[in-house]
């Protein structure tokens, strides 16, 4: 068991200790890393920006940089091949280009599906033996567009629909190994991704009207720490309505 030691090392479930988080350099992923660190987990922070991750590793105890590019799934083995036990895998990495189908080149479809689906699938495949060894939890950050069509956002919405199918199949397959799979479907969350997307749609972006990334991170912790008698399969969360 590799859970951090010391007075701050206290997790809701005593048998959850080491969690790998993708998208660790982004809004939601960084919040997940921060909350897990506060709760005493040993965190493997996966991302592309080696300098950013090295600084994270230097400043947060029990946090380890895993440099990898999900757009190149064939390189993932070298990054995570040595991990033999893992209590949680949280998929936060994602890309979300905005374009009409008429303006979406094949390269954009390929990058979106590789990062959002195939990279996540390959990383999961690599880590399944370690997750099975710990009867671990897998959390996918999906999106509201994974549940319905969005004009001008077809590649993103299609990739999230595919991610939903991946998670649903995986949940059935891994049940016999005691591995639990949760999908979280957030609405607008205050991150750089949403700011950029809203600008591309010509829509206003008010972070105060969005979900805070830390709130999503809290839901991830809920999924990871749920008691043994329950399996949180799906969770949808939207920005709260504001009284006029
Ligand atoms: N924000 C929202 O409103 C919202 C709503 C619903 C769902 N989501 C989902 O939540 C997840 C996180 O989004 P976010 O809002 O936190 O976005 P973000 O701030 O843009 O973060 C995205 C993360 O994905 C990483 N990433 C992108 N391409 C990668 C690649 N090829 N290899 C490895 N990592 C890569 C980014 O790394 P780099 O820094 O290297 O680019 C970044 O860490 C996404 O899956 C998104 O679809 C977001």
């Amino acid at each position: 068991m590799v859970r951090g030691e010391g007075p701050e090392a206290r997790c809701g479930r005593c048998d959850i200790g080491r969690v790998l988080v993708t998208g660790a350099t982004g809004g939601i992923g960084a919040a997940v890393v921060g909350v897990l660190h506060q709760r005493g987990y040993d965190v493997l922070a996966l991302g592309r920006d080696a300098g950013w991750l090295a600084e994270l590793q230097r400043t947060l105890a029990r946090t380890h940089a895993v440099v990898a590019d999900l757009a190149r799934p064939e390189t993932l083995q070298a990054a995570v091949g040595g991990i033999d036990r893992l209590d949680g895998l949280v998929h936060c990495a994602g890309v979300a280009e905005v374009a009409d189908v008429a303006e979406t080149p094949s390269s954009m479809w390929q990058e979106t599906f590789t990062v959002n689906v195939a990279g996540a699938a390959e990383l999961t495949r690599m880590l399944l033996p370690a997750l099975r060894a710990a009867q671990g939890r897998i959390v996918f950050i999906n999106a509201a567009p994974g549940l319905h069509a969005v004009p001008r956002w077809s590649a993103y919405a299609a990739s999230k629909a595919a991610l939903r199918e991946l998670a649903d199949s995986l949940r059935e397959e891994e049940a016999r190994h005691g591995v639990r799979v949760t999908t979280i479907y957030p609405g607008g969350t205050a991150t750089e991704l949403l700011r950029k997307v809203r600008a591309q749609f010509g829509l206003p972006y008010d972070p105060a009207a969005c979900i805070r990334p830390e709130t999503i991170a809290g839901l991830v912790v809920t999924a990871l720490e749920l008691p043994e008698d329950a399996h949180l399969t799906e969770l949808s969360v939207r920005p709260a309505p504001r009284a006029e």
Side-chain angles (χ1 to χ4, degrees):
M1 184 53 54
V2 291
R3 186 179 62 223
E5 294 174 353
E8 74 281 35
R10 46 192 166 69
C11 302
R13 286 179 66 231
C14 62
D15 58 344
I16 280 199
R18 176 189 271 182
V19 180
L20 188 144
V21 182
T22 76
T25 58
I28 292 174
V32 172
V33 169
V35 169
L36 292 179
H37 166 73
Q38 284 168 10
R39 297 183 70 76
Y41 285 87
D42 190 84
V43 182
L44 306 178
L46 187 147
R48 294 184 291 188
D49 188 336
W52 198 97
L53 292 171
E55 182 61 15
L56 190 72
Q57 179 171 299
R58 196 184 64 75
T59 52
L60 294 186
R62 305 180 311 278
T63 300
H64 312 279
V66 180
V67 180
D69 184 351
L70 290 167
R72 299 178 60 216
E74 71 281 4
T75 66
L76 291 173
Q77 178 68 42
V80 301
I83 299 170
D84 58 3
R85 187 178 171 88
L86 193 64
D87 301 283
L89 169 60
V90 186
H91 293 280
C92 298
V95 290
E97 296 299 330
V98 175
D100 290 350
V101 173
E103 307 295 335
T104 303
S106 143
S107 57
M108 193 187 290
W109 280 100
Q110 276 172 6
E111 193 207 349
T112 303
F113 267 75
T114 304
V115 175
N116 292 6
V117 188
E122 180 65 352
L123 184 66
T124 303
R125 186 177 76 84
M126 303 271 159
L127 292 171
L128 270 180
L131 287 156
R132 288 173 180 170
Q135 298 198 357
R137 315 286 167 91
I138 303 172
V139 181
F140 291 92
I141 303 298
N142 202 299
L147 298 169
H148 56 79
V150 183
R152 299 196 60 216
W153 222 7
S154 58
Y156 180 66
S159 75
K160 291 298 190 181
L163 189 66
R164 178 189 188 185
E165 296 296 327
L166 164 63
D168 288 354
S169 300
L170 185 69
R171 182 179 304 116
E172 300 297 321
E173 291 167 8
E174 291 303 312
R176 68 196 168 96
H177 297 288
V179 173
R180 296 171 214 194
V181 177
T182 301
T183 292
I184 298 176
Y185 297 95
T189 305
T191 70
E192 177 58 19
L193 180 146
L194 186 65
R195 186 200 63 72
K196 200 174 120 198
V197 164
R198 289 266 167 92
Q200 288 177 290
F201 275 110
L203 295 170
Y205 170 61
D206 175 7
C210 299
I211 304 167
R212 293 167 51 246
E214 292 74 17
T215 302
I216 304 296
L219 298 175
V220 169
V221 169
T222 298
L224 293 175
E225 296 187 356
L226 211 62
E228 295 297 338
D229 59 323
H231 182 177
L232 184 61
T233 55
E234 292 186 309
L235 195 57
S236 282
V237 53
R238 301 283 175 270
R242 293 197 293 180
E244 294 177 5

